[in-house]
Amino acid sequence: MKNTHHDIPPPLAQALRQAQRVVVFTGAGVSAESGIATFRDALTGLWSRFDAQALATPEAFDEHPDVVWGWYEWRRAQVLRATPNAAHRAIAQLGRHVPELAVITQNVDDLHERAGSLLVTHLHGSLHAPRCSRCGAAQAFATEIPAEPDEGRRIAPPACTDCGAPVRPGVVWFGESLPAPAWRTATLAAQECDLLFSIGTSSMVYPAAELPRLALARGATVVQVNPAATPLDVLAHHNLRGAAADVMPRLLASAGFGDTDPGLALTPDGEV
Ligand code: BJW
Ligand code: ZN
């Protein structure tokens, strides 16, 4: 039987070859195969008695700063140990084949950058940019690499070097505004693109989930890559069901954007 689930539709391969402006919009699923739990699966193991949606709020940090800081230190340690996967690498490679590529991510890790993507916009901040919860001053971590904090361990946040208030993670919590420059970059890119990929996101968190809709409203082709159904399924032109690290390299190959690793340069007589 033909493996239709994983075949890339020829019209999509052609759209990719012809695209001038491409947006890659990513969520936690793109980092899943690097061993980083997705947001809605993040609280496994000893964290399972907490609810991610309740922890990722300013109110949770005010009430239980040691729980929230401990959770983020645990996640930061996980990200520092992780490496980009084939999806991050394929996206970086795509940037070398299309005239314009904007990577817009909801992720707070830095795996797109480490894979070599150049223009990465972070809508929900970063695990690696702590700041004061009162005066906003940028802060450094006490330990650059957390000492593999135990899962479920409470850690008191450090005090701001300027004003003494608790230091918080540099991420965007529920009820907070997205960084205005990042949101502007993202909406402009979505409105001006001809092809948008929505990869590994549940399409449930707003305003980020508006981006594919903005692209659709301007006539762009919207492609979703996700092993599960999401609210975007009914709107997307193509739903590629599967893991990002599996689908993205095939997608590039379907457009003829094969492996162009400069490490594999040909010698004059054609040998690798
Ligand atoms: C794979 C895979 C593989 C697995 N390959 N795929 C009611 C209606 C509408 C909106 C609201 C509402 N009530 C409140 C709101 C607003 C709220 C919101 O959207 N809430 C909804 C949940 C209902 N939004 C906000 O509050 C935003 N701010 C805002 O609106 O400001 C204005 C305002 C001010 C005051 C009051 C009200 C409004 C801010 C949102 C900030 C989100 N921040 C977080 C936390 C960041 C820090 C951290 O990481 O801890 O960002 S929440 C969390 O969700 C995180 C993520 O970036 C974001 C998106 O999650 P994502 O990436 O989609 O992950 P998952 O886990 O949900 O999904 C993973 C997907 O991958 C799944 O689909 C899998 O199938 C798939 N997958 N393996 C490919 N191998
Ligand atoms: Zn301060």
Side-chain angles (χ1 to χ4, degrees):
M1 197 179 84
K2 207 162 164 246
N3 191 1
T4 46
H5 273 345
H6 294 289
D7 281 350
I8 307 301
L12 170 54
Q14 194 183 348
L16 183 53
R17 273 192 298 271
Q18 292 173 348
Q20 298 296 309
R21 293 173 164 187
V22 178
V23 168
V24 169
F25 170 54
T26 65
V30 84
S31 296
E33 282 145 294
S34 294
I36 300 171
T38 61
F39 188 75
R40 268 150 201 88
D41 293 335
L43 294 167
T44 52
L46 293 173
W47 288 111
S48 58
R49 63 201 174 90
F50 297 101
D51 166 10
Q53 201 136 321
L55 276 190
T57 64
E59 293 76 19
F61 185 71
D62 286 345
E63 285 167 32
H64 306 289
D66 54 346
V67 172
V68 174
W69 186 258
W71 180 45
Y72 281 95
E73 280 295 89
W74 176 72
R75 291 174 57 198
R76 184 165 72 93
Q78 197 177 45
V79 166
L80 288 171
R81 284 195 303 266
T83 52
N85 65 51
H88 299 106
R89 290 195 299 272
I91 292 163
Q93 194 180 327
L94 187 57
R96 298 190 275 272
H97 286 280
V98 298
E100 263 182 54
L101 179 83
V103 178
I104 314 288
T105 189
Q106 299 167 85
N107 297 345
V108 293
D109 63 45
D110 59 354
L111 296 180
H112 283 302
E113 288 90 340
R114 282 201 259 148
S117 281
L118 297 177
L119 295 172
V120 184
T121 298
H122 283 266
L123 295 177
H124 294 160
S126 164
L127 286 174
H128 309 287
R131 65 169 191 270
C132 175
S133 60
R134 186 196 295 152
C135 75
Q139 302 288 309
F141 287 108
T143 50
E144 268 318 307
I145 299 180
E148 306 228 348
D150 306 331
E151 219 178 327
R153 179 161 145 223
R154 295 173 182 231
I155 302 173
C160 171
T161 51
D162 291 19
C163 79
V167 173
R168 59 163 285 174
V171 302
V172 181
W173 282 325
F174 286 112
E176 296 183 325
S177 301
L178 274 53
W183 182 242
R184 201 171 313 116
T185 299
T187 50
L188 284 176
Q191 286 168 337
E192 290 171 358
C193 73
D194 33 46
L195 181 56
L196 180 144
F197 292 97
S198 178
I199 308 172
T201 173
S202 56
S203 298
M204 284 175 10
V205 175
Y206 284 83
E210 286 293 343
L211 293 171
R213 289 171 171 81
L214 290 178
L216 281 167
R218 295 293 184 98
T221 299
V222 169
V223 182
Q224 181 172 227
V225 179
N226 199 310
T230 80
L232 188 61
D233 284 29
V234 293
L235 298 173
H237 295 98
H238 301 277
N239 286 295
L240 305 177
R241 283 270 190 272
D246 176 42
V247 174
M248 291 311 292
R250 288 162 188 280
L251 192 67
L252 266 73
S254 78
F257 301 161
D259 197 45
T260 53
D261 184 350
L264 290 176
L266 295 177
T267 59
D269 54 1
E271 305 265 319
V272 174

